[in-house]
Amino acid sequence: MAYDRRMLPGRHGECARLNALLAGVREHRSAALVIRGEAGIGKSALLGYAAEHAGTSRVLRACGVESEVELPFAALHQLFHHVGPDLDLLPAPQSAALRTALGLAPGPGAPQNQPQNQAQNQAQDQARNHGSDQPRGQPQEQGSVIGREESRFLVAAGVLTLLGELSGERGLLCLVDDAHWLDGPSADALLFAARRLEAEGVALLFAAREGEQRTFAAPGLPSLRLEGLDPATAETLLSDRLPTLAPGVRRHIVTHTAGNPLALLELPAALTPEQLAGRRPLPDPLLIGSETARLFTDRLTHLAPATNRLLEVAAADDTGDLKVILPAAAALGSGLPALQAAEQAGLVTVGDGRLLFRHPLMRSAAYQHATFAARRAVHVALARALEESDEPDRRAWHLAAAAIGPDESVAGALEESAGRAARRGGPAASATALERAAELTPSAAVRGRRLVAAAHAFWSAGNPLRATALLLHAEPLIEPPAQHTNPPAAPSTSHPHPHPPNDPTAPSTNPPTGPSVPSVNLSTGPAGQRAELLQLRGLIELRCGAPESAYEVLVESAAHAADGPAALRSLVLAAEAASFSGDASRVVEVGRLAAGIGPSDDPIVRMLTGTAAVFSGDWAAGARELRAVVAAAKGVDDPAALLWVGRAALYLGDQSMARAVHQRAVESARRAGALGALTTMLDRLAFSELLLGRPDDAEAGAAEGLRLAEEIGQDEAVVHHLGILALAAAVRGDDERCRAHAERALAGAAARDIRLISALATWALGLLELGHARPEAALAHLLELSGATGHPALRLWSTPDLVEAAVRAGRPELAVAQYEAYDQWAARVDMPWALAASARCRALLDGLPTALDRYEEALALLAPEPRPFDRARTDFLCGEALRRAKRRGEARTRLRAALETFERLGAVPWAERARAELRASGETARRRDPTAFARLTPQERQIAEYAGRGASNPEIAAAVFLSRRTVEYHLSKVFTKLGITSRIDLARLDLEEL
């Protein structure tokens, strides 16, 4: 990372910005900045300036390397390979994941009783002895929702924690040059940390080149864009460097380089003395901007062949290790004299046994300058030099680069490399290796299998487009089996709890990272392979917002499955697709298919048949099956299974159980660092909180889920959280936020045909209008839930709002049929809150005088229930009815209770209506200020709740994916806002009631 003072003239503003950033580090403030610009514009010089002015702060450096982009965590290794002891400061799961990523510990599944390279060689020999159709290096079991690929999120959380710990009291400066060449896992982890740095005293500076095919996307991070130097500064720079340069030539160079510092400095080296003196014309046009690399190529043409050959070897190598470069170069007729010549020419530097190019463009130029035959010879030489090393991955890639046709031995080595990358939490590297392995595979059948495996890996890495393309290439290579009219009825493995596919939360469009793929234990025959291909294709269509087509593909996958469990895994996803689209008939069909596959007491079968019964209107049968699912889930800790248990609980009306189950799922996902799954867990938990009338908790969970979903590119999860945020804002009566969230949710749902989200956003708009006493508008929205934007479950849960809107709008007949269905459901599930809601609806429909008895019945049923919003609304309606019955004293009691709860919940329009009713009853209520707790941000509230339950700062940091110092910062703000001084005071507060 060269620092050239000559590159800084004219950068006073940029240097001032870096000075401010460094001053913040010394005051324990964190920041991140991406310095962007074309090649040679001075990005590296600014990084050098920051390092020189870091003072006593610790400085870590890394540089992206083009040939290392497919090596997972290569950049993290540059940053952290020397901080091994500090890893002990991390939570155990983070420490283990980061040690594995850095190569300091073996990954899951690695042989424990022999050296890794020896085990790999033995595995390769065995595979060759037993035929080429056996998969090499790929784990056969993908695990549950917290799969191996999820470890990359633990790595990211570990990077965040480690940065905070390394900052200490001095602060920490991390400099990452050529960020556009970072390997994907390293970039994801560093960006994850950069977006969460707040009060650690850490500065992360990235330098990224623009105008390249590969870019460094860093959404949410501030950028500093470098432009060319102004003409006066550029001329000064040239005059200082070349005082004898002819003035006309100097002005011409300044004009035609657009002030690019590297071009200004390097172009004169490519001109002849006559051109520099102005005696011969300059080239037309001059090389500028993205073509600056050609300047380096021109310099290579003047070198001896042996020197060029050594530079080609160094450019193709990705380590800079002279112990590898020199033997490879020697095999090609080059050696130490050529190295000395390259160093004297100022093209490379040598130190500590490593060769470094003076500028990344020189490395690219040296490689591209070589002919194809020369590059192939270089890669062969490097592969031979690595034969005795412990770096089989690099050797495999050099062999692949040298291959000119199908080669099973090289393809097998790449597949083994893919397996190692997967165990290290690098799905992108695994995907690329598998794709290249498929290209080199002679056998069509094996090539098809490797393409499907590569598609799985690309999906895990968050690249659905590439995964889909590979599946299209693989499909013709996998013969379709004989058609089945139904999925095969094969014995189903008995499970202690529902175990749906382990990817409830995959990203939808171009995410930087991706979650788990469903585990598949299929035969290697055509049926199993085709079923696996179809299951992945259906999953991608489902997560990318095409539930209609996903359903068809997933049912076909189940029909071709090699065994019962595999068929059920596809049917679980098919049921989800049918539910998202609100198609009750398809949910029923999935239940019928599941009943023909496994035993009736299998929890997955019960989940699917019970849900089908519910959607068909047979609540008695549905409730029986779903209760068995919930009962079988005691002690379950798998997040995927807990999601389905929570869904069963919601259908049963047991929303407290649903909340508890989803809370366990969230905690399990947090412990494992499974961000991909966590977005869905938070969605379900937040929805459960809303149904319980707890908008603060719902908003906090949905806000965190939205932020995570946006960061990792899960567009489908984004619209889920937007719908929940819209509903939470509706409870508060916040017009602007409710409509903004609902508009985004409706647009996203329409684009993906997700009726569940359309219904959720429509419900939010109806509840908003109802709270503002606009019943006609509320009725119009709520009636939509029975139409094109409707969804059976949300239509059921929104019935009490529909009844109130219809009665207040003077159109009660519009709600009678839906109320009767709701009343039957409430009686069958026999939940106190549901019976209370039914009684409240009956009171509205009947009117005085019987309404008062119904309201009292509802309030009695709600007495033990933790449902503040429902109780306040019932108190309000009862108070209204009492006032109209001239029982003003009793009315005031109910209205005061309603007003107090509405104010505590921040339900502003509801509180105003209760206050107006109190005035009408003859009492003036004082308008209360919001509680201190209500003024906490969602993140502060979340941290306060963890601290109130006794969690330590490191435990909180690990749970909410922040650094320990940032948790301390937010906790101090919580203490200030609540007027307390210690955790003891916080523990004494009833956070549930604040």
Side-chain angles (χ1 to χ4, degrees):
M1 194 180 299
Y3 167 38
D4 189 337
R5 295 176 186 275
R6 296 168 300 183
M7 304 289 277
L8 287 175
R11 301 298 188 197
H12 306 297
E14 292 84 350
C15 291
R17 185 165 179 179
L18 294 182
N19 289 338
L21 183 145
L22 294 170
V25 168
R26 290 188 285 272
E27 296 172 3
H28 294 290
R29 296 196 306 271
S30 296
L33 182 66
V34 183
I35 304 173
R36 299 187 181 277
E38 64 183 6
I41 204 69
K43 304 181 296 295
S44 299
L46 283 175
L47 293 187
Y49 176 89
E52 186 178 85
H53 292 78
T56 60
S57 296
R58 188 172 186 174
V59 179
L60 300 179
R61 289 182 170 90
C63 183
V65 178
E66 181 176 0
S67 57
E68 293 185 357
V69 294
E70 304 302 345
L71 293 176
F73 305 111
L76 289 190
H77 188 272
Q78 289 185 50
L79 281 174
F80 301 130
H81 69 277
H82 60 289
V83 299
D86 295 288
L87 295 175
D88 295 334
L89 302 174
L90 276 59
Q94 296 179 12
S95 177
L98 197 50
R99 288 180 187 277
T100 299
L102 297 177
L104 301 177
Q112 299 297 314
N113 298 322
Q114 52 188 332
Q116 189 173 0
N117 59 333
Q118 178 184 351
Q120 291 159 351
N121 292 337
Q122 289 181 2
Q124 186 172 0
D125 292 342
Q126 292 172 2
R128 287 172 177 163
N129 292 335
H130 291 85
S132 62
D133 286 351
Q134 299 299 319
R136 302 188 185 99
Q138 283 294 94
Q140 295 301 304
E141 296 286 345
Q142 296 295 327
S144 70
V145 80
I146 314 301
R148 290 187 177 113
E149 58 274 7
E150 290 288 2
S151 66
R152 67 188 181 281
F153 294 125
L154 277 176
V155 171
V159 167
L160 174 64
T161 305
L162 182 59
L163 290 175
E165 297 298 336
L166 292 176
S167 66
E169 295 302 319
R170 297 183 301 157
L172 176 68
L173 176 63
C174 287
L175 305 175
V176 182
D177 207 351
D178 286 333
H180 52 285
W181 289 124
L182 286 179
D183 62 280
S186 292
D188 291 343
L190 291 170
L191 289 173
F192 178 92
R195 285 189 284 264
R196 285 164 174 75
L197 292 170
E198 292 187 51
E200 304 82 358
V202 175
L204 259 174
L205 288 182
F206 300 92
R209 189 185 305 168
E210 293 186 327
E212 298 287 328
Q213 184 176 3
R214 185 181 178 90
T215 60
F216 179 65
L221 296 190
S223 292
L224 173 61
R225 193 174 303 279
L226 298 185
E227 305 293 344
L229 303 178
D230 64 84
T233 303
E235 285 207 33
T236 301
L237 179 63
L238 274 178
S239 297
D240 292 343
R241 175 72 180 270
L242 293 169
T244 61
L245 189 64
V249 175
R250 184 170 60 244
R251 288 192 296 270
H252 191 80
I253 291 175
V254 168
T255 300
H256 288 82
T257 57
N260 182 291
L262 179 62
L264 287 167
L265 294 174
E266 296 295 335
L267 182 57
L271 299 178
T272 67
E274 289 78 9
Q275 289 171 330
L276 292 173
R279 292 191 292 268
R280 292 187 64 84
L282 298 176
D284 185 23
L286 292 176
L287 306 178
I288 60 173
S290 61
E291 295 184 355
T292 304
R294 288 175 54 189
L295 297 170
F296 296 101
T297 303
D298 289 342
R299 298 182 67 179
L300 294 172
T301 60
H302 303 295
L303 299 175
T307 306
N308 267 313
R309 185 52 54 93
L310 181 131
L311 291 174
E312 292 164 7
V313 172
D317 175 68
D318 49 24
T319 64
D321 188 351
L322 289 175
K323 293 193 299 294
V324 175
I325 293 172
L326 288 177
L332 298 172
S334 185
L336 283 175
L339 175 62
Q340 183 179 5
E343 192 174 13
Q344 289 175 345
L347 302 179
V348 299
T349 61
V350 178
D352 298 327
R354 292 175 63 83
L355 179 153
L356 299 175
F357 282 89
R358 189 180 62 82
H359 193 282
L361 287 176
M362 177 55 71
R363 181 176 198 158
S364 299
Y367 188 78
Q368 295 168 10
H369 181 63
T371 64
F372 170 78
R375 287 197 296 268
R376 182 175 183 274
V378 163
H379 285 293
V380 170
L382 284 167
R384 289 173 179 166
L386 289 166
E387 282 181 347
E388 302 302 323
S389 73
D390 59 353
E391 297 182 278
D393 297 335
R394 288 190 168 95
R395 181 175 184 273
W397 275 106
H398 284 303
L399 290 173
I404 56 176
D407 188 322
E408 177 54 35
S409 64
V410 177
L414 279 176
E415 190 169 18
E416 292 171 356
S417 177
R420 289 187 290 270
R423 288 191 291 272
R424 293 180 61 193
S430 177
T432 305
L434 284 166
E435 182 180 16
R436 180 60 174 147
E439 292 172 355
L440 296 173
T441 301
S443 163
V446 179
R447 184 162 65 253
R449 174 181 60 73
R450 285 172 174 159
L451 284 171
V452 173
H456 272 286
F458 272 117
W459 174 243
S460 298
N463 193 336
L465 295 177
R466 191 68 191 137
T468 301
L470 292 181
L471 291 177
L472 290 175
H473 286 302
E475 193 161 5
L477 303 175
I478 299 176
E479 294 183 9
Q483 295 296 312
H484 297 289
T485 56
N486 290 305
S492 175
T493 304
S494 178
H495 306 291
H497 54 77
H499 196 330
N502 65 344
D503 180 30
T505 54
S508 56
T509 54
N510 299 323
T513 62
S516 306
V517 218
S519 59
V520 284
N521 299 311
L522 306 175
S523 72
T524 57
Q529 290 179 14
R530 186 167 181 81
E532 180 183 4
L533 183 151
L534 291 171
Q535 185 184 84
L536 178 58
R537 200 179 92 195
L539 172 62
I540 294 173
E541 292 189 13
L542 172 61
R543 298 305 183 212
C544 291
E548 291 284 340
S549 58
Y551 175 84
E552 302 290 348
V553 173
L554 290 164
V555 169
E556 184 183 355
S557 171
H560 295 315
D563 54 41
L568 286 176
R569 283 191 287 274
S570 290
L571 289 179
V572 165
L573 290 172
E576 187 175 355
S579 177
F580 277 8
S581 62
D583 191 330
S585 64
R586 286 182 164 180
V587 176
V588 173
E589 175 67 10
V590 169
R592 184 189 68 78
L593 294 173
I597 293 176
S600 59
D601 60 347
D602 184 293
I604 299 181
V605 175
R606 278 189 149 162
M607 180 70 227
L608 295 175
T609 57
T611 304
V614 165
F615 272 70
S616 66
D618 187 355
W619 278 101
R624 182 176 61 252
E625 295 300 316
L626 295 177
R627 286 193 180 102
V629 171
V630 174
K634 293 180 180 178
V636 173
D637 197 38
D638 176 62
L642 290 171
L643 281 182
W644 287 92
V645 174
R647 191 174 194 178
L650 285 177
Y651 287 148
L652 291 170
D654 193 348
Q655 293 165 355
S656 295
M657 170 63 78
R659 176 179 181 256
V661 166
H662 291 142
Q663 182 65 56
R664 284 164 53 194
V666 166
E667 291 170 356
S668 179
R670 288 191 193 282
R671 285 195 300 271
L675 292 192
L678 183 58
T679 56
T680 287
M681 315 302 175
L682 288 168
D683 157 27
R684 308 299 163 80
L685 176 59
F687 186 64
S688 302
E689 300 281 15
L690 268 180
L691 293 179
L692 288 168
R694 305 166 64 88
D696 284 347
D697 293 326
E699 186 177 51
E704 181 188 6
L706 176 64
R707 176 168 56 88
L708 291 174
E710 288 177 332
E711 285 184 5
I712 61 180
Q714 293 187 354
D715 287 357
E716 182 192 344
V718 167
V719 296
H720 277 76
H721 289 292
L722 287 170
I724 292 170
L725 288 170
L727 197 54
V731 172
R732 300 181 187 280
D734 188 334
D735 272 83
E736 183 177 354
R737 294 183 65 193
C738 176
R739 295 187 193 282
H741 291 319
E743 182 178 345
R744 287 184 61 194
L746 286 168
R752 296 165 176 80
D753 195 21
I754 307 176
R755 290 175 63 186
L756 177 67
I757 304 306
S758 297
L760 186 61
T762 302
W763 182 12
L765 293 172
L767 182 60
L768 177 71
E769 301 290 1
L770 185 61
H772 281 289
R774 299 189 286 257
E776 293 82 2
L779 181 61
H781 285 299
L782 294 168
L783 286 174
E784 287 183 38
L785 297 179
S786 300
T789 59
H791 186 277
L794 293 186
R795 182 165 60 248
L796 177 75
W797 291 323
S798 65
T799 296
D801 297 331
L802 173 69
V803 170
E804 184 174 345
V807 170
R808 290 187 182 278
R811 304 290 304 279
E813 71 279 2
L814 296 178
V816 170
Q818 190 162 319
Y819 163 70
E820 289 175 350
Y822 184 88
D823 185 55
Q824 293 175 15
W825 170 78
R828 287 195 173 99
V829 299
D830 196 29
M831 298 299 298
W833 76 267
L835 296 171
S838 180
R840 190 176 85 205
C841 292
R842 187 77 264 170
L844 283 165
L845 291 168
D846 289 349
L848 291 174
T850 59
L852 292 174
D853 291 337
R854 296 284 189 181
Y855 286 134
E856 291 297 336
E857 176 188 349
L859 288 168
L861 287 165
L862 285 172
E865 292 279 318
R867 306 177 70 89
F869 190 53
D870 280 1
R871 182 171 183 87
R873 288 178 65 179
T874 308
D875 272 328
F876 175 63
L877 290 169
C878 184
E880 275 188 323
L882 287 168
R883 187 182 68 79
R884 285 161 176 73
K886 309 300 183 182
R887 295 162 60 176
R888 295 190 174 186
E890 296 172 82
R892 289 171 191 148
T893 301
R894 292 299 179 196
L895 293 170
R896 279 195 297 267
L899 175 60
E900 181 181 346
T901 303
F902 286 144
E903 287 185 326
R904 178 162 49 83
L905 294 175
V908 176
W910 297 90
E912 291 298 327
R913 291 170 59 191
R915 187 175 290 107
E917 279 292 319
L918 267 176
R919 285 196 300 269
S921 72
E923 177 178 313
T924 301
R926 180 177 61 86
R927 184 176 275 101
R928 294 178 53 188
D929 292 331
T931 65
F933 201 70
R935 292 196 297 269
L936 298 181
T937 66
Q939 190 168 71
E940 289 167 353
R941 179 184 178 91
Q942 187 180 40
I943 290 171
E945 289 176 344
Y946 272 104
R949 293 197 295 266
S952 66
N953 287 354
E955 290 170 340
I956 299 172
V960 300
F961 302 103
L962 295 172
S963 73
R964 174 179 56 82
R965 290 181 181 271
T966 294
V967 169
E968 292 169 356
Y969 169 72
H970 284 300
L971 202 52
S972 68
K973 293 175 69 176
V974 168
F975 287 171
T976 300
K977 289 183 178 181
L978 296 183
I980 60 178
T981 59
S982 70
R983 287 173 177 267
I984 296 175
D985 295 334
L986 187 61
R988 289 172 179 162
L989 296 176
D990 187 353
L991 301 181
E992 298 288 338
E993 293 299 325
L994 281 174

